[in-house]
Amino acid sequence: MMMAVSFERYGRLYYLDPGGLTPAVGDKVLVPTDSGPEVAECVWAPQWVSEDVEGLPVCAGIATRADLARDERNRRRRGAARPVVKRLVRAHGLPMKVVGIDYVPSPEVFTVYFSSPRRVDFRELVRELSRALGARVELRQVGARDEARLQGGIGPCGRDLCCATFLKDFEPVSVRMAKEQNLPVNPMRISGACGRLMCCLKYEHPLYQEFKATTPAPGSRVSTPEGDGVVVGHDVPRERVVVRISGSGRRCACDRADVCGPRRAYDSAHPPARTGTEEGNDR
């Protein structure tokens, strides 16, 4: 059994073992963390999954009124700390952009996430923040991708950012992936909200690699149901090969199986078995 929760509305998903509980979508549950149980919203009710998943944290229970009140106090503390942090950053003239703030009530610790184009000496800032907030303060610098993950937003596809919803790790993405998928190598078209290459370029790249490895390359001469021709392109999403027919010069899109030699050789060597009905019709 598996369930999914989110600490923020439309935020990143975290998967849990329900542990015998059956919360419905929208219920508030307790999630075990390093700083103690935290309140989160159930966005995917417990259900059986086909794969064996091990090591999931177990849901700590349904949130009580006391848990909800504590969570609301923590949210107010985080909200009140943000303008204080921004004011002191401006007062010190530091090139910092406050991205997010975490708060742990016991012991009281504020963790401020910020982005900056260079390293920042914030030792004096930390001392003033500790005095202003009355708690220990930690500052952590994050990169562009983590900044987008913490802030969230809408991607070019019109959906919530992958990094802010379900992505756990940032895998390397290169311009070569865009080229192999026949995408325009235009930074405005293949860059995400973080200004880096979109993470989704990685999703379909293995399919393009497999297609090109098992399909005649452009320039290869092939035989199609419409005649012999030369491969001039690939249509990977439809698993088709674009061929220019030698006799007429016309282009046609053929299924990959129609132009792949090994597949055609296999079909000719292993014709489909005839059924008893077909044999009776022949007689």
Side-chain angles (χ1 to χ4, degrees):
M1 293 288 284
M2 180 187 294
M3 62 180 292
V5 300
S6 176
F7 292 98
E8 301 289 342
R9 180 62 59 90
Y10 308 119
R12 186 176 180 181
L13 298 181
Y14 295 87
Y15 298 96
L16 302 176
D17 179 348
L21 299 175
T22 56
V25 174
D27 289 349
K28 302 293 185 178
V29 298
L30 296 176
V31 180
T33 67
D34 294 337
S35 56
E38 295 290 341
V39 177
E41 181 178 352
C42 177
V43 296
W44 180 21
Q47 60 182 271
W48 290 103
V49 294
S50 58
E51 299 179 0
D52 292 334
V53 182
E54 299 180 354
L56 290 177
V58 181
C59 180
I62 303 296
T64 64
R65 289 187 177 181
D67 296 322
L68 297 177
R70 173 175 54 84
D71 183 65
E72 183 60 28
R73 288 195 300 270
N74 294 344
R75 290 178 183 273
R76 287 199 297 266
R77 286 285 281 163
R78 289 196 296 268
R82 182 177 286 270
V84 176
V85 175
K86 290 185 175 181
R87 175 175 57 83
L88 290 177
V89 168
R90 288 195 300 269
H92 284 264
L94 297 175
M96 300 168 56
K97 177 184 176 183
V98 179
V99 176
I101 298 178
D102 275 344
Y103 171 70
V104 178
S106 180
E108 282 196 302
V109 178
F110 286 93
T111 303
V112 180
Y113 300 94
F114 72 94
S115 61
S116 177
R118 60 179 185 272
R119 293 181 63 86
V120 180
D121 184 2
F122 48 72
R123 288 173 293 182
E124 183 61 30
L125 174 64
V126 170
R127 286 191 285 269
E128 289 199 27
L129 284 174
S130 297
R131 289 194 295 267
L133 298 176
R136 186 162 64 90
V137 177
E138 298 178 356
L139 270 69
R140 297 182 183 178
Q141 186 171 353
V142 298
R145 293 184 183 273
D146 286 309
E147 179 182 354
R149 178 177 63 81
L150 291 170
Q151 291 187 321
I154 304 298
C157 59
R159 300 174 65 100
D160 294 291
L161 297 179
C162 298
C163 58
T165 52
F166 64 88
L167 278 185
K168 294 183 178 180
D169 300 312
F170 295 117
E171 297 185 6
V173 183
S174 65
V175 177
R176 178 175 56 84
M177 296 181 182
K179 293 181 178 178
E180 292 185 353
Q181 298 178 51
N182 300 320
L183 296 175
V185 188
N186 182 344
M188 298 297 294
R189 299 286 300 276
I190 60 176
S191 297
C194 59
R196 304 292 191 270
L197 293 175
M198 293 188 296
C199 294
C200 56
L201 293 175
K202 181 77 174 180
Y203 298 165
E204 297 181 359
H205 184 243
L207 299 179
Y208 280 80
Q209 288 182 311
E210 185 272 336
F211 186 92
K212 292 182 177 181
T214 58
T215 306
S220 304
R221 299 195 63 83
V222 295
S223 296
T224 73
E226 300 189 25
D228 295 341
V230 178
V231 177
V232 295
H234 293 158
D235 188 353
V236 180
R238 295 182 178 87
E239 292 194 350
R240 289 175 171 266
V241 179
V242 182
V243 180
R244 185 176 63 245
I245 304 302
S246 300
S248 62
R250 185 174 59 86
R251 295 192 177 194
C252 67
C254 306
D255 290 336
R256 174 168 59 168
D258 292 335
V259 299
C260 289
R263 172 62 180 273
R264 289 188 288 107
Y266 178 86
D267 290 341
S268 62
H270 301 81
R274 303 179 66 183
T275 64
T277 302
E278 292 175 342
E279 293 177 354
N281 292 337
D282 291 345
R283 290 195 292 269

